[in-house]
Amino acid sequence: MLLLLGLCLGLPLFSESQEEARSWDDTSEQVVLRVPRQLRLLQRLKTKPLMAEFSVKSTIISRYAFTTVSCRMLNRASEDQEAEFQMQIPESAFITNFTMLIGDNVYRGEITQKDKKSSESVKEKRNRTSDDNEENGSDIFKASLVIPSKDKAAFFLSYEELLQRRLGKYEHSISVRPQQLVGRLTVEVNILERSGITSLEVLPLHNSRKKGSGKAEGDVGPPPSTLINQNETFAKVIFKPTVVQQAKIAQNGILGDFIVRYDVEREQNIGDIQVLNGYFVHYFAPKNLPPLPKNVVFVLDISASMVGAKLQQTREALVTILNDLRPQDRFNIIGFSNRIKMWKDHLLPVTPDNIRNGKIYMYHLSPTGGTDINGALQAAIKLLNNYVAQNDIEDRSVSLIIFLTDGKPTFGETNTLKILSNTKEATGGQICIFTVGIGDDVDFKLLEKLSLENCGLTRRVHEEEKAGVQLIGFYDEIRTPLLSDIRIDYPPDVVEHATKTLFPNYFNGSEIVIAGKLVDKKFDQLHVEVTASNSKKFVILKRDIPVEFRKMGNDVSVTPGSARDDGKDLNHIERLWSYLTVKELLSSWRQSNSEQEKEQLRQKAQDLALNYHFLTPFTSMKLKKPGLRTNQLEDTYGMSAATGPATVVQNLREAGKQPEPDLKKPYDPRIKISKTSVDGDPHFVVDFPLSKLTVCFNIDGEPGDILRLVSDHLNSGVTVNGELIGAPAPPNGHKKQRTYFRTITILINRPERSYLEITPNRVILDGGDRLVLPCNQSVVVGSRGLEVSVSANANITVSIQGNIAFVILIHLYKNPAPFQRNHLGFYIANSKGLSDNCHGLLGQFLNQDAKLVGAPEEYGKNLSNQPFPPAEGMPEAILKVKGRQVPVVWKQRKIYNGQAQVDCWFDKNNAAKLIDGVYKDYLASHPFDTESALGLSTSRKPETGRPHEESV
C-alpha cells in the first residue's frame, strides 16, 4: 500500500515529462518511476538559476546606515537562463550604487541626470513592478539579466539611510527574501555610536504580508543562529542560518525582515553635536519634560467602504487611544461620509464621563454613503480654531487632527489641489494633520501631501494588516508632545548650508536632526542656541560646544560602493548632510504649487544627488561596461533597466513634467530708498518728509541683543527684528566696543505666515516651503504678494503686498580690520502699507511729524547742498516730536554704503528722550518674537529685556 501510494503521488509529475503513458502492471516500469525527483530538480534548474550566496552587510555610524547587498548566482543548465535580482529597501533610503558581474565582465551602475523621454518609459515599467511587489514602508529594486550556460553572475547593491528615532528607539530593517534556500546566507550589522549604545535588541523575523512567508519557531527573541557582540560604543550582530534553519522558517526563501533596534546614551540637554572634516550633525532629543496639552480631533471615515473589519478595528483602536488622553487634553470626534457627523460643536475636556460618551458615540456610527474629505477637514479645523480663539489660556498647547480614511474624495470638493489649498489656508500653519490611509484604494498621495503641508506625518495600512494595531502604534509616536515652535541657531559666520532649523513640534521618543557645513575649521567651539515653548514657559538653551576636528579612523569598515569615486576618505557626516538636504528639497518640491519654484527645487535636488550619487526622482541609473555602449549590453545579454525604488515610482508622473519657469524682469540694483534706516554701528536715521527734517541717533546695545525695528504685527502683520554682533572698538576710539546687525528677521502674518532670515551670506525664506538663497548670486523669487530680490553681494529687496518694501544692504570686507565685521544695513523703501499704530525703534516715527525750535531757518533745510556747510556739532536746537522736546545738534552722516551723505539733527543722548519708553522695551526675546513691551500687543509683556535661560 505504501508503494502504491508513492507511485500515485509520483505519476502526475512523471507523466508530464513523458510523451506516452506507461503501464502500471510492468514492474520494470515501477523501478523507472523513482526518477521523477531528479527530473523535477532538473526542471527547476532549467527555469531558475541557483543562488549560491546571499549576504547583506550594514555599517551604522552615528545613526547613518550604509548597506551593501551581494548575491551570487550559478547557471548549471546547458542553455542560457534569465535571472532576476530583487531587493526590498527602506522607503527612506537612497540607492547609491549597483554593479553586475556576468562571467568576467563588470557592468557598473552610473547615476545620471534624468531626461524626459527615459523618465516616461521607466515610469511605466516601475509602476508595473511596484504595484505587485510594494511592501509597507519599503520599495523594491529589481534587475534582470541572462546568464550564459555553465556560467555565473553576481549582483551588488548599495544604499544609504538615516535611521529615524521612534518611541525611543532606532530601528534598522534588512529584507532577507532571496526567493530560494541559499547555501551561504549572511546578514551582518555593525553599529558604532560614540555616545554609547543602550537597549540593543534583535527582534524575531518580521514576516512579509505575501503568501508563502513563514514564521520562526517560537517567534520570540532573535532568529536562530543570531550572534550579538557588544561593548560600550560598538556592536556587531550576525545572522547566519543554515539551509535547514532557513527551511524551518520558510521553504520558499522568503524569510522576512531582520530588525535591529537600539538607542544611545544622552547626557547634554542641548543635544549631541559631532564634527568631521568640515561638516557637523546635531542630534537633539531632550527628555524628562512635562508634556504639552493636546487639542485633538479624531476624524473617522464612515463611508460604505469602511464596513466590516476595518471600521471595527478602528473603533477598538480609538477606544484605546481615548483611554490614553491626559486630563489637560481637549478632544472631539467627527465621523464623515457624504455627511459630516460631529459629536459636539466644541472641544471637550478629558473626564471619565466625556470619554465614556465619546466611545458610545463612535459605536453608533454606521458606514454609509460617499467620502467628503474636504468637508471633514474643514469641520475639524474650525473646531480647533474656535477653541484656541475663545480660550486665552496661559498653557501653551498643540492642536492636532488625526484623520483616517480608506478611499478617495467622492463627495463635495473632489479636486485634490483645491482640498490641499483649502486645508492649508484654514490651518494657517497652527494645526498639524496626521493621516492614516487604510487599504489599497486610498489616495495616499493626497494624504501624504496633507501631512507634509501641515507639519504632520502619514502612515499606510494595507488590507491584510490589522488597522487597529497600526493606528495605536502611530498614535504612540505623537501622544506626548514635549516642545513646540523649536528653533535651533548657529553662528552664521561659522555655519552655512544648514538643513532645516525650525520645527513645529517635538514628540517624546523622537529626535530632531540638523546637519550643516562649517565655514572655517579654525575654531574650537560651536555656539548653539535652542529656543522652544514648553507648557507655561519659553525655554532658551545656550551652550558653547567644544569642537574636536577628527578624521575617519580605520576601526570600522564601510560597505563597498558607498565611498566616493574620487578616492577621498568617506565622510559619513557629509553624506548625512547631503542626504537630509536632498530629502528637504524633495519635500519642498512636492509641496510647491509654483512652477518656477518647483523647477528651481528640482534643479538643486538633482545637482546634489548627482554629486553624491543618490538615485532620486530626478536622477536615473544606467548600467555601463567600460568601452561598450548601453544598448550593446542590452542587445548582447538581454538586460532590462534596473527598476525601483517605489519612491521614484510614486512621483515620476510629476517629475516627468518639467515646468516652464515663470520668468520675471531682471532685478535693477539701482534702487530708490528713503533715508529712514539703521546701518553701521548701529546708526539710526529717521526722515520726516512733511517738515523736511532728518533726525539721527545711535543705540549702544550689547552683542546678542535683538532689537525690534518695526512692529506692526496686529495691523499689517509685519515685524522686523535685528540681532547685534560685537567687535572690538578701533584704537583710540571713545567706544569700548562696536556692534553691528548680523541678522535681520522679517516676520509676515498676512495673507499667510512666513518669515525671512537675512544674513550677509544667505537669505532663508520660509512660507511653508523653505528656500535658501545665497547672497552671492542675483535672483528673484516671489509668491502670494511676497517678493524677494537679491542683487549679488550688494542688497536684498523685500516687497510685501506691493505697499511695503524694505532694502537690506550687505556690507562685506575682503580683508577686515579687527573692529570690522560683515554686517547688514536696514532701509525702509515703502511704508504705505504699515499702519498708524506701527512701532519699533524706526516704525514709531513713520507716521509722525517733527518741528525744529531754536535754530536759524536755513538749518531746517538740507544743508549738504550748500557751498559752505557749517561745522558739525553747531548749532544746537530743540526737536519737538510726539509731544517731547529733544536737544539735538546738526551733523552729517553717510548712508547707502557710504555713497551718499545726509544732514541730520543728532540726538547725542542715545535717544533717551526721542524714543518711547526705554531701550530694554525694544529687546525681543528671540528673532521670531512679535510681542511688544509697550502695550501694543495682546501678548504678555516679558519680565526682563533679556532672554531667560532655562535648562531642560
Side-chain angles (χ1 to χ4, degrees):
M1 291 295 294
L2 291 176
L3 176 62
L4 180 60
L5 178 61
L7 293 177
C8 292
L9 291 174
L11 180 62
L13 296 171
F14 178 71
S15 62
E16 289 179 5
S17 60
Q18 303 293 322
E19 294 181 359
E20 296 178 0
R22 303 183 183 272
S23 173
W24 288 21
D25 297 331
D26 191 342
T27 57
S28 64
E29 294 299 329
Q30 294 175 7
V31 176
V32 177
L33 286 175
R34 297 178 183 272
V35 178
R37 289 185 180 179
Q38 299 174 359
L39 292 177
R40 290 176 63 188
L41 180 60
L42 290 173
Q43 289 173 351
R44 288 182 178 179
L45 290 174
K46 289 181 180 180
T47 58
K48 194 171 186 179
L50 176 69
M51 186 177 294
E53 181 181 353
F54 179 87
S55 67
V56 184
K57 184 176 182 180
S58 284
T59 301
I60 304 169
I61 310 176
S62 298
R63 293 80 143 174
Y64 194 69
F66 301 87
T67 302
T68 289
V69 184
S70 60
C71 173
R72 301 181 188 275
M73 291 186 173
L74 176 64
N75 178 13
R76 297 190 293 181
S78 57
E79 64 270 356
D80 295 351
Q81 288 187 332
E82 183 176 1
E84 181 181 76
F85 168 77
Q86 70 175 39
M87 180 68 186
Q88 290 184 18
I89 67 171
E91 190 175 18
S92 60
F94 284 143
I95 291 173
T96 55
N97 185 46
F98 179 64
T99 301
M100 292 197 305
L101 279 67
I102 306 176
D104 296 327
N105 296 320
V106 180
Y107 304 94
R108 296 187 181 277
E110 179 184 3
I111 304 293
T112 62
Q113 181 175 331
K114 179 174 292 182
D115 57 283
K116 295 181 180 179
K117 292 182 180 179
S118 64
S119 67
E120 288 299 323
S121 62
V122 175
K123 171 182 64 180
E124 297 176 1
K125 193 178 297 181
R126 290 182 177 180
N127 275 338
R128 284 199 298 270
T129 57
S130 64
D131 286 346
D132 295 334
N133 299 291
E134 185 180 350
E135 294 289 329
N136 188 21
S138 64
D139 301 305
I140 292 185
F141 179 92
K142 281 188 179 182
S144 62
L145 55 79
V146 173
I147 306 178
S149 172
K150 307 297 183 180
D151 213 337
K152 57 188 177 181
F155 304 86
F156 300 93
L157 174 70
S158 298
Y159 60 87
E160 300 174 15
E161 62 174 321
L162 176 65
L163 303 186
Q164 296 182 356
R165 188 169 184 257
R166 292 174 178 166
L167 301 176
K169 296 286 183 67
Y170 303 100
E171 184 173 289
H172 184 49
S173 179
I174 296 173
S175 175
V176 187
R177 296 175 173 86
Q179 310 294 317
Q180 59 178 283
L181 301 180
V182 182
R184 294 190 299 273
L185 190 153
T186 307
V187 177
E188 180 180 329
V189 179
N190 297 293
I191 305 172
L192 177 64
E193 295 285 354
R194 71 171 195 179
S195 56
I197 300 172
T198 64
S199 308
L200 177 67
E201 60 177 332
V202 179
L203 304 186
L205 289 169
H206 177 74
N207 299 297
S208 165
R209 65 188 177 94
K210 290 184 178 182
K211 294 181 180 180
S213 60
K215 269 192 173 184
E217 289 184 354
D219 201 27
V220 176
S225 79
T226 301
L227 298 176
I228 303 174
N229 292 311
Q230 178 186 359
N231 59 29
E232 185 178 349
T233 60
F234 180 76
K236 174 175 282 190
V237 180
I238 296 179
F239 172 54
K240 197 173 182 178
T242 64
V243 174
V244 174
Q245 290 171 327
Q246 295 174 45
K248 288 182 178 180
I249 299 171
Q251 293 187 4
N252 59 4
I254 303 178
L255 305 187
D257 294 319
F258 184 79
I259 301 172
V260 178
R261 281 182 185 166
Y262 73 97
D263 199 15
V264 299
E265 293 283 358
R266 288 179 174 82
E267 295 181 359
Q268 299 184 10
N269 289 320
I270 200 76
D272 177 23
I273 297 179
Q274 302 179 20
V275 179
L276 180 62
N277 296 344
Y279 290 84
F280 80 94
V281 60
H282 183 185
Y283 299 101
F284 181 63
K287 55 184 179 180
N288 301 325
L289 295 172
L292 285 166
K294 297 190 299 290
N295 311 317
V296 58
V297 178
F298 300 98
V299 184
L300 173 61
D301 186 345
I302 55 169
S303 60
S305 58
M306 284 287 290
V307 68
K310 283 190 288 188
L311 184 58
Q312 180 62 26
Q313 291 176 12
T314 303
R315 283 172 174 158
E316 292 172 357
L318 286 177
V319 166
T320 303
I321 291 172
L322 289 178
N323 290 332
D324 187 68
L325 293 175
R326 296 182 177 88
Q328 65 266 36
D329 295 339
R330 298 290 187 275
F331 77 106
N332 203 339
I333 302 167
I334 293 177
F336 75 96
S337 52
N338 55 336
R339 295 174 56 196
I340 310 301
K341 299 180 180 180
M342 193 181 303
W343 176 36
K344 301 290 182 181
D345 61 359
H346 59 279
L347 295 188
L348 289 135
V350 175
T351 64
D353 288 344
N354 288 338
I355 295 296
R356 183 182 65 254
N357 293 335
K359 296 175 184 176
I360 295 172
Y361 174 77
M362 276 195 306
Y363 278 100
H364 281 92
L365 293 173
S366 56
T368 182
T371 310
D372 186 1
I373 291 179
N374 183 73
L377 286 170
Q378 292 299 311
I381 294 168
K382 185 177 180 181
L383 277 174
L384 291 167
N385 283 337
N386 288 345
Y387 175 76
V388 173
Q390 296 171 9
N391 294 269
D392 186 16
I393 53 176
E394 292 185 0
D395 288 358
R396 291 177 171 89
S397 60
V398 175
S399 295
L400 311 174
I401 294 174
I402 297 180
F403 184 87
L404 301 95
T405 183
D406 72 334
K408 302 177 177 67
T410 61
F411 189 83
E413 181 59 68
T414 58
N415 184 285
T416 56
L417 291 178
K418 188 65 176 176
I419 293 173
L420 290 168
S421 63
N422 290 345
T423 304
K424 190 173 182 180
E425 181 179 357
T427 60
Q430 300 301 303
I431 299 171
C432 296
I433 300 178
F434 297 85
T435 58
V436 178
I438 304 173
D440 299 327
D441 296 327
V442 68
D443 189 345
F444 190 72
K445 192 173 290 186
L446 170 62
L447 299 185
E448 183 181 43
K449 204 163 185 181
L450 277 170
S451 295
L452 275 175
E453 293 185 352
N454 297 280
C455 64
L457 301 170
T458 187
R459 290 287 186 275
R460 168 177 257 164
V461 180
H462 289 281
E463 292 282 1
E464 295 85 354
E465 297 172 335
K466 293 182 179 180
V469 175
Q470 297 291 322
L471 175 56
I472 293 173
F474 183 42
Y475 174 78
D476 284 342
E477 295 182 32
I478 60 175
R479 64 188 291 267
T480 311
L482 298 183
L483 295 173
S484 64
D485 302 322
I486 305 107
R487 173 186 171 86
I488 303 179
D489 287 310
Y490 312 94
D493 55 341
V494 175
V495 173
E496 63 179 358
H497 305 307
T499 55
K500 181 180 176 182
T501 57
L502 292 177
F503 303 89
N505 299 302
Y506 166 74
F507 295 97
N508 188 37
S510 64
E511 184 174 58
I512 289 173
V513 183
I514 301 169
K517 189 175 181 180
L518 301 175
V519 177
D520 187 7
K521 298 182 181 180
K522 298 178 181 179
F523 64 92
D524 57 2
Q525 287 187 332
L526 177 62
H527 182 71
V528 182
E529 294 186 12
V530 179
T531 58
S533 296
N534 166 244
S535 190
K536 296 183 179 181
K537 57 187 177 182
F538 190 82
V539 178
I540 298 181
L541 301 174
K542 297 183 181 181
R543 184 164 298 180
D544 292 321
I545 305 297
V547 173
E548 179 184 354
F549 283 91
R550 56 189 179 90
K551 293 186 177 181
M552 277 289 290
N554 297 321
D555 53 344
V556 176
S557 62
V558 179
T559 55
S562 300
R564 297 285 296 272
D565 295 336
D566 53 15
K568 296 181 181 178
D569 289 339
L570 178 73
N571 184 343
H572 68 280
I573 295 181
E574 179 182 355
R575 295 196 67 80
L576 188 155
W577 165 79
S578 62
Y579 171 95
L580 280 179
T581 304
V582 172
K583 286 286 184 182
E584 290 180 4
L585 288 169
L586 290 173
S587 177
S588 299
W589 178 83
R590 292 188 185 102
Q591 295 178 56
S592 176
N593 294 319
S594 165
E595 295 299 321
Q596 180 182 2
E597 184 181 37
K598 286 177 77 75
E599 175 61 22
Q600 292 174 345
L601 292 167
R602 186 197 67 81
Q603 189 62 52
K604 288 181 180 179
Q606 184 182 74
D607 292 345
L608 198 59
L610 289 173
N611 189 40
Y612 288 92
H613 310 290
F614 290 148
L615 182 59
T616 71
F618 307 130
T619 53
S620 61
M621 178 176 286
K622 296 181 180 179
L623 288 172
K624 290 188 176 181
K625 177 183 176 183
L628 293 177
R629 296 199 306 269
T630 304
N631 58 353
Q632 289 178 328
L633 296 179
E634 295 176 352
D635 293 341
T636 305
Y637 292 102
M639 288 187 296
S640 65
T643 60
T647 310
V648 183
V649 179
Q650 294 171 0
N651 299 288
L652 269 171
R653 286 193 176 91
E654 299 174 24
K657 301 176 182 178
Q658 298 184 4
E660 297 180 2
D662 182 16
L663 299 177
K664 295 191 176 185
K665 296 180 181 179
Y667 175 61
D668 185 359
R670 293 171 293 180
I671 51 179
K672 294 182 180 180
I673 56 180
S674 73
K675 300 173 186 177
T676 301
S677 61
V678 55
D679 208 339
D681 183 20
H683 303 313
F684 289 78
V685 177
V686 178
D687 192 34
F688 295 96
L690 295 179
S691 54
K692 298 182 180 180
L693 284 176
T694 303
V695 177
C696 52
F697 59 93
N698 295 344
I699 291 287
D700 293 330
E702 295 293 330
D705 283 355
I706 301 171
L707 307 184
R708 185 167 291 105
L709 305 178
V710 176
S711 180
D712 198 29
H713 181 70
L714 295 181
N715 297 283
S716 66
V718 174
T719 301
V720 182
N721 296 328
E723 184 174 358
L724 296 176
I725 187 175
N732 303 319
H734 65 283
K735 285 188 172 184
K736 295 182 180 180
Q737 66 175 352
R738 284 189 166 188
T739 51
Y740 305 93
F741 283 110
R742 72 171 180 182
T743 306
I744 299 292
T745 305
I746 302 174
L747 300 105
I748 303 153
N749 199 37
R750 297 184 181 88
E752 288 187 343
R753 290 195 175 187
S754 56
Y755 80 88
L756 284 136
E757 184 180 74
I758 303 168
T759 70
N761 300 319
R762 51 102 180 101
V763 179
I764 296 177
L765 170 60
D766 196 326
D769 300 329
R770 189 172 186 268
L771 189 63
V772 181
L773 309 173
C775 289
N776 59 359
Q777 299 177 14
S778 296
V779 66
V780 181
V781 296
S783 175
R784 300 186 181 182
L786 174 64
E787 182 174 296
V788 180
S789 302
V790 180
S791 181
N793 293 328
N795 52 64
I796 299 110
T797 300
V798 180
S799 177
I800 305 168
Q801 299 300 319
N803 55 13
I804 301 174
F806 304 126
V807 176
I808 294 90
L809 298 189
I810 304 172
H811 300 270
L812 301 174
Y813 299 94
K814 290 184 179 179
N815 299 301
F819 54 84
Q820 293 176 325
R821 295 287 186 272
N822 292 342
H823 63 280
L824 303 173
F826 175 74
Y827 293 77
I828 299 178
N830 184 355
S831 61
K832 293 180 181 178
L834 296 173
S835 73
D836 291 341
N837 293 323
C838 182
H839 212 267
L841 286 169
L842 287 175
Q844 62 185 299
F845 301 110
L846 292 178
N847 296 301
Q848 301 293 329
D849 199 7
K851 183 178 181 182
L852 199 63
V853 179
E857 183 179 352
E858 62 269 19
Y859 285 94
K861 303 175 183 178
N862 190 339
L863 303 180
S864 58
N865 295 326
Q866 293 190 8
F868 302 102
E872 284 194 13
M874 292 295 293
E876 293 187 357
I878 300 296
L879 181 75
K880 287 188 175 182
V881 58
K882 303 179 75 171
R884 294 187 289 271
Q885 295 188 359
V886 184
V888 292
V889 297
W890 184 84
K891 190 179 181 69
Q892 286 186 327
R893 176 156 285 176
K894 291 183 177 181
I895 59 174
Y896 309 158
N897 259 353
Q899 299 173 1
Q901 184 169 278
V902 297
D903 304 318
C904 64
W905 291 97
F906 177 62
D907 177 5
K908 56 186 180 181
N909 294 319
N910 209 31
K913 294 184 178 180
L914 182 63
I915 61 175
D916 296 334
V918 295
Y919 171 73
K920 72 174 186 178
D921 294 329
Y922 296 89
L923 291 178
S925 60
H926 55 92
F928 298 89
D929 186 5
T930 58
E931 295 182 354
S932 172
L934 295 169
L936 299 177
S937 170
T938 58
S939 300
R940 290 171 293 153
K941 178 177 177 177
E943 295 179 2
T944 65
R946 304 289 301 145
H948 178 59
E949 287 200 23
E950 302 269 359
S951 66
V952 176

